[in-house]
Every structure is written in structure tokens, then in C-alpha cells.
Amino acid sequence: MEDSTETKSAHRGQIFEVSTLVAFQILLAVSALQKPIIAISNQTIWISSVATFAFVGYRYERQSMIGSRPLSNDEARKLGSQKHRLSHRQLNLYFLLRYSLPIADFLMYSYLYSVFEKDPSFLQLLSVLKTAIGSLSTFCYEKFLSPYCHSGWPLIALIACMDIIMGFVALLDVWIIRAVKDKEVDGEYTVDTPLKCLVTFVGLTKYFFAELDYMPALVLSTTNVYSDSDKSFENRDHCETPAPRANDDFGERSAEMTSLSGGFPRSKVSALNMDLNEEEDGAIARTPTQSLPLISAGMQYASFLSCIDFGAQIGDWITVPIVASLGITRDNHWDNLDKLVIICSIFRMTRVVFLWLILPPTDPKYNAIN
């Protein structure tokens, strides 16, 4: 009876979480389609739609919090300290705030297209080179940074350094803007080899560090996903694997899984088969910490990416009034674009203030365990 109630509670929690994510994705779509919706209806309908889906998502999230099962002390310790897991709400809020700052990159794309409008093949070649430099950046992160900054305070320090570095790297666009202005004659841009080399150098440098800057967010997203497969690792780490018994196939399989290199069985075993083995053999008793998570791993990961995308959308909205106040248009030859780049670079450096949301505990026992 108790297991049936817990199963229904888990299903209800999944329904609320899926509904929240669906409402959140619809909110993203409605927000992105602001101009088409206003064109076919009016601004009141668009604002009402955004407010409605935001309210629905909030209500489902609140209902999910009310209906979720509280964690035991052992669960909280394992989820919070042993695996460096953060609260999903804190991590979602961090992603939302971190990527909701104004950014000048999209306007720079339009600016470079207007400069090299007569030579589009150069921009295509630059795009191919960025793909190659992105692979190089990923390799450098995996080879030189990931072994030392994969979690805890080293990862926080890496994110803080990348926030500062990205602010300074973004200022390289000012170099391009002023170099182009020096070659502008009567509204026409003179494109020569030195200018192409400068744009290539700045573009590849920015893309290289942008990939390095995104990798910690990817690490935070993947390492803070809670799944039932972690239980086998926790049991193995605490030497809770039962000793093999004579003439016991399940015991032999357990013995094979004790080594780190052979931690996964060769045959595919479903969760139902594992439950049947536990009930028949009585070798492993299900503990409260071995219950299935209320939210699937895919839904958790999708919620992190949704917050990143929605934060970027908010950043675009914030950038629009700044561009309007500076009077940046193509008609006035992109005047004050360098000022926008400087403003966005300063905002990008201020992302470090949001790191307090994901700071690891300072408990000595936590540091000793990890």
C-alpha cells in the first residue's frame, strides 16, 4: 500500500515537472515570436499570452514542490555533498541570471556582414575556421583544464576567470570597429588584407574563449543530473556490494562489478529484473535512498538548457533598449557601436557576482569526503 502511494506520488511529480517544462518552452516560443504575434493581433494579446504561460509554469512548479517527497538526511548528504550536486532551482536561477545580460555579438554579426557585403565568401571561410577552432578549444579544455577544474572550488575559480577573460576578449571588437572606420570613405568600406587578418584573428580568438566559457556550464548541467544509476556507484564506494554466495549467479555478477574497470555488466539488465532479483534472493534490501528519482535525467538536463536559452533571450531584450538609446543603426554607419561593445563587456565581467548561487559548502567534513 505504501509503495503504491509512493509510486502515484512519483508519477504526479513527473506530470507536474513535464507540464512546467512544456509551459516554459511555450513561453520561450511566444517570447521569440513577439513581432509576428503583434503583427497578426496586437501587443495586449502577446503580453497576455506571456503572462498566462508564465503563471501556469509557476503554478505547476509550486504544485511540484508541494507534492514532492521530502529527502531524508542521508539522501540530502549524498545529493548535496558526495557528488557535488547543487539544488536544481539554484542552478537554474544561476543559468538564467548568467545568460540574461546584454550582449553585442548579434549586432556585430550584422556589422561585419555590412562591411564584407561585397565579399561574402570571406565570412563563409571564417565560419569554417571557427568550427575548427571550436574543436581545438574543446580539446584544450579536456586536456588541460578538465583534470584539475572538474568540480568544487576549482570549477568555481575557472568560471570566475573565464567571466573576466571573456569581458576583455569582447573588447577586441572595438579594435575592429575603429579599424573599419579608418578605412571608411563616404559610407563605403575599403576591405584589404590587413583588415581581413584582423577580423580573422579577433573572430577566432573570441570563438576559442567562448567555447572554453561554455564548457563549465555544460559540466554543471551534466554533473548535477540525478539518476538512479548513481546508486550502484554509491553502494560500491561504501563497500555495500554483497559477498558472492556459492552456486549463486547474482552473487557472481556482483563480484564481477566490484572492480572499477568492470563496473558495468555486459548484459543489459532492466530495473524490473533487478527488483525481481532483490525480492527473490533477499540479498539486497531496498533502502530509502534507493528509490527512483521523481524526475527523469533527460527532463532535468532539458530544464538546465531551457534556462540557458531563456536567459539568452532575456539578454537580447535588455540589449534592444540600450541599442535604441545609443542610436545605433545602419543608416548612421553604426555610430556608437563601440560604446555598446564596451557596455556589454563590463556587464559580462559582472557575471561573477552570480557565483554565490553555486558555491560549494565550506564544511571541513565535506572537503574531507571529496
Side-chain angles (χ1 to χ4, degrees):
M1 185 66 180
E2 184 178 353
D3 293 340
S4 177
T5 303
E6 184 175 346
T7 302
K8 291 181 179 179
S9 177
H11 290 167
R12 185 167 58 252
Q14 287 183 343
I15 291 174
F16 285 133
E17 291 294 340
V18 171
S19 302
T20 302
L21 187 59
V22 170
F24 196 42
Q25 293 290 349
I26 296 176
L27 177 62
L28 283 176
V30 173
S31 302
L33 297 174
Q34 176 186 4
K35 291 184 178 180
I37 293 176
I38 294 177
I40 62 177
S41 57
N42 53 60
Q43 189 171 5
T44 303
I45 293 179
W46 178 79
I47 295 176
S48 301
S49 301
V50 171
T52 300
F53 286 111
F55 178 75
V56 170
Y58 171 76
R59 290 297 300 172
Y60 274 122
E61 179 69 13
R62 291 293 302 173
Q63 191 66 30
S64 173
M65 293 173 60
I66 295 173
S68 61
R69 174 179 58 85
L71 295 175
S72 64
N73 292 334
D74 191 35
E75 284 178 310
R77 180 185 64 82
K78 288 182 179 179
L79 293 180
S81 63
Q82 185 180 359
K83 297 298 181 182
H84 292 283
R85 288 196 182 94
L86 302 168
S87 167
H88 283 189
R89 290 177 178 83
Q90 281 185 294
L91 188 56
N92 283 330
L93 179 60
Y94 170 73
F95 284 146
L96 196 64
L97 294 175
R98 186 175 193 265
Y99 290 95
S100 62
L101 298 178
I103 187 171
D105 287 347
F106 292 105
L107 206 60
M108 281 298 301
Y109 294 150
S110 300
Y111 175 70
L112 291 178
Y113 179 78
S114 65
V115 173
F116 295 95
E117 190 172 6
K118 297 180 180 179
D119 191 8
S121 59
F122 169 74
L123 295 179
Q124 295 176 353
L125 177 61
L126 183 60
S127 178
V128 174
L129 293 177
K130 285 182 179 180
T131 303
I133 206 70
S135 301
L136 176 62
S137 177
T138 304
F139 172 79
C140 292
Y141 183 89
E142 179 183 0
K143 189 73 173 178
F144 304 108
L145 297 178
S146 179
Y148 309 102
C149 305
H150 55 83
S151 62
W153 286 103
L155 182 61
I156 296 297
L158 175 62
I159 296 175
C161 291
M162 291 308 304
D163 287 339
I164 302 299
I165 291 174
M166 284 300 299
F168 285 109
V169 170
L171 290 175
L172 293 175
D173 286 333
V174 177
W175 188 8
I176 293 179
I177 295 170
R178 294 181 178 177
V180 171
K181 283 185 177 181
D182 292 339
K183 299 180 181 296
E184 183 180 354
V185 179
D186 297 332
E188 296 292 332
Y189 302 106
T190 303
V191 177
D192 53 9
T193 302
L195 181 60
K196 289 183 178 180
C197 293
L198 175 61
V199 172
T200 302
F201 168 74
V202 173
L204 297 183
T205 302
K206 286 180 57 182
Y207 200 82
F208 178 84
F209 284 101
E211 286 294 312
L212 290 181
D213 181 60
Y214 180 71
M215 290 305 295
L218 187 62
V219 171
L220 285 173
S221 299
T222 54
T223 56
N224 285 280
V225 170
Y226 173 66
S227 63
D228 189 56
S229 61
D230 298 324
K231 302 305 173 185
S232 60
F233 289 96
E234 292 174 2
N235 291 336
R236 186 177 62 207
D237 292 339
H238 292 280
C239 301
E240 295 177 0
T241 305
R245 302 192 302 269
N247 301 323
D248 186 359
D249 294 336
F250 182 75
E252 293 177 0
R253 290 197 301 270
S254 300
E256 292 176 359
M257 293 176 63
T258 55
S259 64
L260 184 60
S261 59
F264 298 93
R266 293 172 182 169
S267 60
K268 185 176 180 180
V269 182
S270 65
L272 178 59
N273 292 333
M274 293 175 65
D275 291 340
L276 291 176
N277 285 331
E278 291 176 6
E279 291 178 1
E280 292 176 359
D281 296 341
I284 303 177
R286 181 175 288 275
T287 62
T289 59
Q290 287 176 308
S291 58
L292 292 174
L294 297 181
I295 316 170
S296 65
M299 293 300 298
Q300 297 172 58
Y301 186 68
S303 68
F304 296 147
L305 296 185
S306 296
C307 286
I308 292 176
D309 293 338
F310 189 50
Q313 187 74 30
I314 294 175
D316 293 338
W317 295 342
I318 298 175
T319 307
V320 171
I322 299 177
V323 172
S325 62
L326 293 176
I328 302 174
T329 62
R330 184 170 181 172
D331 297 334
N332 63 4
H333 307 295
W334 308 96
D335 284 343
N336 298 322
L337 180 59
D338 52 349
K339 295 180 180 178
L340 175 67
V341 172
I342 294 173
I343 292 173
C344 294
S345 299
I346 295 174
F347 272 110
R348 181 167 292 191
M349 294 182 190
T350 60
R351 295 187 302 181
V352 295
V353 302
F354 302 133
L355 287 175
W356 67 270
L357 289 168
I358 58 172
L359 292 180
T362 56
D363 187 5
K365 293 182 180 180
Y366 168 85
N367 295 328
I369 292 175
N370 294 280

